Amino acid sequence: MKNLSNISTIKDILSRHGFSFSKKLGQNFLVNPSVCPRMAELSGAGDGAGVLEIGPGIGVLTQELCAISDKVVAVEIDARLVPVLGETLEGFDNFKLINADVMELDLNELIEREFKGMKVVVCANLPYYITSPVIMKLLESKLPIEAITVMVQKEAAERICAEVGTRAGGAVTAAVNFYSDPELLFKVSAGSFMPAPKVDSAVIRLNVRKEPKYVLTDEEKFFKIIKAAFAQRRKTAANSISSTLGRDKAKVIKALEECKISPTARAENLSMDDFTALAERII
Ligand code: SAM
């Protein structure tokens, strides 16, 4: 296995391939040697597991995943990294690269095709410019996966893993909690990356629920109400929902009262049960 945490090895590979980092694609590669083995191990990758990775970069996490699991399929948008990964992962016959934008792929079809009959986990150091859209796509697609272990910016990790109904929570907290049990695993300093970003990061694991914890007649409406309640989070939930969705404020307040929620509550005061009850009442 090449030492892909070694800065001179990385520089040598990248310069031979004429590669320069793209800020737009969120290319900050991990160079702290202790992070990838830990992340791979905590992700649930291992014997009998198939792993979907998003954004392998030069393959530093990928090679750890390949070393411990049955199969790794990585989706990388940047075509310039295809020959780089060909070199760095040479010798792993359980690796497959898909050169595509993860947001454009049908991931259910990909998992059915590549991992039939296997336990599947997702493990990735996500490009930060699309952290929430990628996480929401993975969860909303209702993929047959056990867990999603991802590196994200520290602030995003804290928001996602906050308790719903507390000040630290937001729309993404409630949305993620709908599908999974989130856990903050460990923090990673900005200096662990090349080039170093301005902020620290953290690895989180979303333990995907096999059975839904919350049963709703209209999931789409539930997410619309959460987003609307947090859209103007300094206002009361009633004000934020009525002005964002263009609903009559008196009717929103009536719905809140029917759910035994104070009409002056803010979105950050509402629990998952409050949101699910509201979604059944607001028309
Ligand atoms: N996994 C590598 C590591 O830890 O060093 C690289 C992580 S880097 C933060 C994010 C990677 O995601 C880059 O390789 C970037 O090109 C890729 N990427 C960015 N947008 C993407 C997208 N929409 N679909 C797939 N890959 C993407």
Side-chain angles (χ1 to χ4, degrees), residues 25-30 36 53-61 75-78 81 100-103 125-130:
L25 292 177
Q27 290 177 340
N28 301 95
F29 296 168
L30 268 164
C36 293
E53 188 189 3
I54 296 151
I58 64 163
V60 63
L61 174 61
V75 179
E76 172 57 61
I77 196 171
D78 191 343
L81 290 166
D101 178 346
V102 70
M103 296 308 290
N125 173 11
L126 286 183
Y128 295 162
Y129 76 104
I130 44 165

Side-chain angles (χ1 to χ4, degrees), residues 8 11 56 68 70 97 131 150 177 217 249 260-262 276:
S8 47
K11 281 189 175 156
I68 61 169
D70 283 13
L97 179 63
T131 299
V150 282
N177 266 273
T217 42
K249 192 176 156 192
K260 305 203 174 2
I261 303 168
S262 159
T276 51

